[in-house]
Structures are given as C-alpha cells and as structure tokens.
Amino acid sequence: MTDKRALIIGGGIGGLTAAVALRQRGVPVLVIERDPQWSVEGVGITQQSNVVRAVAELGIVADYVDAGFGYAAVEAYAPDGALVARVPSPQLAPPWPPNIGIARPALNRVLGEAARSRGAEVRLGVTAERIADEGDQVRVRFSDGAEECFAFVVGADGLGSQVRRQFFLEAPPPRYAGQVVWRYNLPRPADMDCLRTYNGPTGVGLAPMNEQTMYMFLVTVEPEGKVAQEGLAAAMRSRLANCAPAIRALGDQITDDAGVVYRPLHTVLVEGTWHRGRVVLLGDAAHATTPHLGQGAGMAIEDSLVLAEEVARHADPRDAFAAYHARRAPRCGYIVENSLAICRGQQGLGEPVDMGRAAAEMFQVVAQPL
Ligand SMILES: Cc1cc2nc3c(=O)[nH]c(=O)nc-3n(C[C@H](O)[C@H](O)[C@H](O)COP(=O)(O)OP(=O)(O)OC[C@H]3O[C@@H](n4cnc5c(N)ncnc54)[C@H](O)[C@@H]3O)c2cc1C
C-alpha cells in the first residue's frame, strides 16, 4: 500500500497527524480542509503523557514541545481556593515533559508544517461533493470541480462529520451532554507551572499554554443551543460568582466578548467497525468525547498512528481498517463513556465521580502501548 494516494477529509488535529503518520510510511496523501482560512479556536488544549509519546512517534515532538508549555504535575484546589494536592504526572516519553499545554493555533501550525514538509498536499477551502467507493478505488468529486481517485478515504472531519453522515446511516447524530465549556486566554503568572483545577459547584481550570499565556476553562450546565457572541464576557464572569477568590479576581480580566470561546459539549460513538469499504473514520468523526478526561485530541492522534501502522501492514485497506478498529475501539470507547459519566455526575444525572480516582484509572488505560 505505498503506491496509491490516500484522501484525508479534514485538516484538524486528527487529519494532520494522520497525514504525518501516513507520509512516515511512504503513503501519498492529499488533505482537504473546508475552511479557506484554516482557522482554529484561539484558546489552548492540554495533552497528557500518552499523547506526548504519540507525538514523539510522529517524529515532531521537539517542535511541539517548543510551541507549547511542558509541565509535570496537576494541582487540585478546594472551592475556597486552598491547595488540596499537587499530583506528579507520570512521564511516558522521557526526556519530554509528561504534559503539554499548547495554543490550538500553535498546534495546528506545527502539525500543518509537519504534514506539508513530509510531502502531504493540503488544499484549503475544498470539500468532497461526491464520494463513490467503486470497490477497487474511491472516486471523489471536489467542490472546486476536480475529480480524482484514491486507494482509500479517511473521514477526519470532526463531530459533525459529513463522511459519517454519508456512510454510517445508522449512526446516531451527536448528542448534547448538557454542559458547555467557556474558555478565555489570560496572562500566565510566573509561578504557574502546571495545570490547576478548582473543584466546586462550578468546575474551573487554569492551563498554561506558553511562557506568556494560560487559558481559563469553566464548565457549566446550560440549555442546548447557540448563543450570541455579544455579552459573552459578562456572562462568563457571572458564572464565576461561586468560585475561589483567585478565580473571581481573574474574572475581572474577562472583558472581551470576542475572546470568549463558548462550546456546548456533544458526544458521538460509532458502534461497530469504523469503515465502510475503503472509507474510514478517525478522531471525533468516530468518537467525540466530552473533555472531562482531557483526551479527545489525544485519541485522534493515537488513531492516526495506529491507522498508518495497519495500512502499512496490510495489502488491502479494508483489512487495515478492521485491524485499526480492533486496536482503537476499546480505548476510545472507554474515554467517551467515562468522560460522559463524569459529566453526568456533575449534573446530578448519575453517580458523582471522584475525579482524582477517575484520572488515575484513565491513565492506567492510556499508558498501555497502542
Ligand atoms: C471545550 C472542549 C475542550 C477540549 N479540550 C481538550 C483538551 O484539553 N485535550 C484534548 O486532548 N482534547 C480536547 N478536546 C477535544 C478535541 O478538541 C477534539 O477531540 C479534537 O479536536 C478532534 O480532532 P479531529 O481532527 O478529529 O476533529 P476537529 O478538530 O473537529 O477537525 C476537523 C476538521 O475537519 C474540517 N472539516 C469539517 N467538515 C469538513 C468537510 N466536509 N470537508 C473538509 N473539511 C472539513 C474542520 O474545519 C476541521 O478543521 C476538547 C473539546 C472541547 C469541545
């Protein structure tokens, strides 16, 4: 499987890491991304040691660590702001730090540059208008009028995946989990050297993403639906009323409506295999999770490595996809279901989950080899 092109639909974290991993194995790759500006949310993301290990396997860990902020512990604070515990994080890929906080635009730049410099073609502002699996190849008509054939197609087009909607008719649509996350960038205090989580009626966290900047994330229960950007800063500040004094004080800096990223949480978990013929799903398209265990993008990155390994191992991509699913479904299912259990517990819709225990158990799972 080294002489035919793969089409990756979606130039997000999963699509770009899949491009890098497939190029590592000599597979020609075209990535199409519907957003002509290739824009991503301006806030950050946190990634744990299994993800740092996966990025090291992709051969791009030095650029990744340079672009972000490495840290080695997680601090838990009580609702009154007292430090309860500082838990050191296990390190799976020494000498690289156990955890990375990174701005999403910086991550996108590192991954995009890596994909292109390794020979992947990236076309922006393009979608697939027609995808036809002809048995021995997949014929795709693009929105720019071009028509091309591929050995296989990877749907890495996220939560609302067009590929999933076309090929997995039985898959249920994304389900609203009842909570939203509010995020906002703030200056990083010099003494802030790790992820800080604040427990209480409103879950809050502060995550470093580079030397200068951290982001605040806040999880609240809200009705489903879109909200206007205007007024979001005041609305986010109002949600901090019950939080620790240090958090309320930071809230005074939340003044720019345009800087607030408000994201309702949805889940998707495709049952059964993740391919139909020569078309396969990866990342959020197959298994979108709420972020309570901080592993959504990590699962997409790990998917990419496993998919590329199996593609290199099998002559027929359909065999590769079956093997990929067998290796990935248990771990991704675990993350989706256990993240949702925390989310439901926080809303009184299920048993409350002890976060420390859940995080430790989760780490046992993701620390296993891929
Ligand atoms: C509030 C929140 C906080 C989170 N925090 C974390 C965290 O701290 N750590 C973590 O690991 N994960 C986190 N996640 C999860 C993480 O963001 C996702 O799991 C990750 O972005 C999935 O990557 P993906 O490439 O599968 O999908 P996406 O990132 O959604 O990328 C899909 C790409 O496909 C493009 N696209 C869509 N449709 C088409 C189409 N038809 N044609 C062409 N292109 C298309 C999109 O423009 C996009 O670029 C968080 C999620 C949320 C909602």
Side-chain angles (χ1 to χ4, degrees):
M1 277 286 319
T2 54
D3 56 344
K4 287 191 176 172
R5 273 193 312 162
L7 172 65
I8 298 174
I9 301 180
I13 296 168
L16 292 174
T17 50
V20 173
L22 288 166
R23 288 301 306 135
Q24 274 181 320
R25 288 155 185 85
V27 180
V29 171
L30 168 64
V31 179
I32 57 167
E33 164 56 47
R34 75 173 166 198
D35 180 358
Q37 264 67 54
W38 213 358
S39 53
V40 290
E41 292 168 340
V43 287
I45 191 165
T46 62
Q47 309 207 293
Q48 301 169 58
S49 205
N50 61 307
V51 188
V52 179
R53 175 181 64 185
V55 174
E57 281 189 46
L58 289 171
I60 55 177
V61 68
D63 291 340
Y64 167 72
V65 171
D66 264 6
F69 188 97
Y71 58 92
V74 177
E75 288 179 350
Y77 290 80
D80 65 0
L83 177 63
V84 177
R86 182 177 167 99
V87 183
S89 307
Q91 188 180 26
L92 292 179
W96 307 107
N99 308 292
I100 298 290
I102 186 168
R104 285 177 183 257
L107 178 58
N108 200 50
R109 177 180 50 73
V110 169
L111 298 180
E113 285 175 6
R116 282 180 155 153
S117 69
R118 282 158 180 74
E121 184 189 351
V122 181
R123 293 185 201 158
L124 300 178
V126 175
T127 57
E129 288 199 334
R130 185 166 179 277
I131 306 169
D133 187 341
E134 298 177 341
D136 58 348
Q137 62 180 3
V138 188
R139 186 178 297 276
V140 180
R141 193 171 66 229
F142 296 109
S143 52
D144 60 7
E147 189 170 289
E148 296 171 38
C149 291
F150 299 88
F152 63 93
V153 171
V154 180
D157 48 350
L159 177 74
S161 173
Q162 169 207 351
V163 178
R164 187 183 65 239
R165 279 184 277 123
Q166 179 180 343
F167 286 89
F168 295 76
L169 297 176
E170 73 292 354
R175 202 165 58 135
Y176 181 51
Q179 291 181 321
V180 308
V181 176
W182 311 64
R183 286 163 293 170
Y184 197 85
N185 292 342
L186 294 162
R188 183 185 72 86
D191 66 345
M192 203 259 199
D193 64 350
C194 71
L195 175 67
R196 295 179 179 172
T197 61
Y198 291 77
N199 299 314
T202 308
V204 189
L206 300 174
M209 54 187 200
N210 54 45
E211 286 296 325
Q212 296 76 34
T213 317
M214 65 178 180
Y215 68 100
M216 177 188 287
F217 59 87
L218 164 69
V219 184
T220 63
V221 178
E222 306 288 344
E224 189 169 8
K226 290 194 171 157
V227 297
Q229 197 72 30
E230 193 181 343
L232 275 186
M236 183 170 177
R237 281 198 310 274
S238 75
R239 303 306 193 275
L240 299 175
N242 295 325
C243 294
I247 296 292
R248 289 204 307 274
L250 285 170
D252 293 344
Q253 298 177 50
I254 300 175
T255 52
D256 177 15
D257 287 342
V260 179
V261 179
Y262 177 95
R263 196 65 63 218
L265 300 181
H266 292 86
T267 59
V268 162
L269 183 57
V270 172
E271 299 290 339
T273 61
W274 294 341
H275 73 285
R276 296 289 179 271
R278 291 175 177 265
V279 178
V280 68
L281 300 177
L282 177 146
D284 275 13
H287 48 75
T289 179
T290 65
H292 296 79
L293 290 169
Q295 281 284 351
M299 291 303 100
I301 295 171
E302 289 187 350
D303 281 356
S304 300
L305 278 172
V306 174
L307 180 70
E309 274 175 26
E310 295 300 339
V311 163
R313 197 170 281 158
H314 293 85
D316 188 318
R318 291 161 289 203
D319 296 333
F321 299 160
Y324 152 75
H325 175 263
R327 286 174 64 187
R328 294 301 298 156
R331 185 176 297 196
C332 297
Y334 174 93
I335 294 295
V336 173
E337 283 159 14
N338 285 278
S339 303
L340 192 57
I342 299 168
C343 175
R344 290 178 60 77
Q346 288 175 348
Q347 297 174 75
L349 302 172
E351 285 293 308
V353 175
D354 178 321
M355 272 307 291
R357 186 178 301 164
E361 274 177 23
M362 177 273 293
F363 197 79
Q364 297 297 318
V365 173
V366 297
Q368 298 305 311
L370 286 179

